[in-house]
Amino acid sequence: MHLSIVRWLAALSVIVLSVSSAPALVITEIHYHPEGSGESSRRLEFVEIYNEDADPRDVTGFALTNGVSFSVGFRTILEGHSYLVLCADVDLIQLVYGISNAVGNWPSTQSLDNGGERVTLSGPGGELISTVAFNDRGRWNAGADGTG
């Protein structure tokens, strides 16, 4: 009886260690249909992620792998309890929205689907970190869809 309890506790500690070492990064905002139309509107798109941990995370190699394709560059550190914007055009995002903690640029041939889709954040090894499906249907305020 005592041996099975020890094995169970050992197995539990492995599970807890596995969970606690996983990056606690979540997708917190998808800016998919900015005001305007055409190329200038698409360049204002972004996906915001948040580090839920108190400790900084090296997000080098993390990537958006659904919706748009974009990999975070070398030695990008996301401080604890902080946000990072992954975007189509860093300079334009900083100019228009005043967001300074932004990285990019994802390819100009890509954009988020204005009608909705799934956006996925993957780790450097391709493992799923966070995924969100969005759409523009339902009881949302109409202003959120194309007017900023």
Side-chain angles (χ1 to χ4, degrees):
M1 182 66 121
H2 177 65
L3 186 56
S4 59
I5 291 173
V6 171
R7 285 185 185 151
W8 181 81
L9 288 173
L12 181 60
S13 67
V14 170
I15 292 169
V16 171
L17 289 174
S18 296
V19 171
S20 65
S21 66
L25 300 173
V26 293
I27 296 171
T28 51
E29 184 175 349
I30 302 169
H31 193 60
Y32 68 93
H33 192 186
E35 186 173 12
S37 62
E39 179 65 20
S40 62
S41 174
R42 286 192 303 272
R43 303 311 302 152
L44 289 171
E45 293 181 344
F46 63 82
V47 175
E48 179 188 77
I49 62 173
Y50 178 71
N51 179 4
E52 294 181 323
D53 289 340
D55 297 323
R57 294 280 180 181
D58 184 348
V59 293
T60 301
F62 281 69
L64 294 174
T65 55
N66 243 10
V68 294
S69 294
F70 171 75
S71 292
V72 178
F74 182 70
R75 292 296 296 161
T76 301
I77 306 299
L78 178 54
E79 295 300 322
H81 301 295
S82 296
Y83 296 90
L84 179 65
V85 166
L86 315 178
C87 61
D89 187 324
V90 172
D91 294 335
L92 196 56
I93 292 295
Q94 290 175 344
L95 177 70
V96 173
Y97 300 123
I99 299 171
S100 60
N101 200 22
V103 296
N105 300 328
W106 66 55
S108 61
T109 56
Q110 297 183 29
S111 64
L112 296 166
D113 187 327
N114 289 342
E117 66 186 325
R118 178 167 297 282
V119 174
T120 301
L121 177 68
S122 298
E127 67 278 11
L128 174 68
I129 301 299
S130 182
T131 187
V132 176
F134 72 93
N135 65 56
D136 67 349
R137 297 181 298 277
R139 300 180 69 176
W140 297 101
N141 180 322
D145 190 12
T147 58

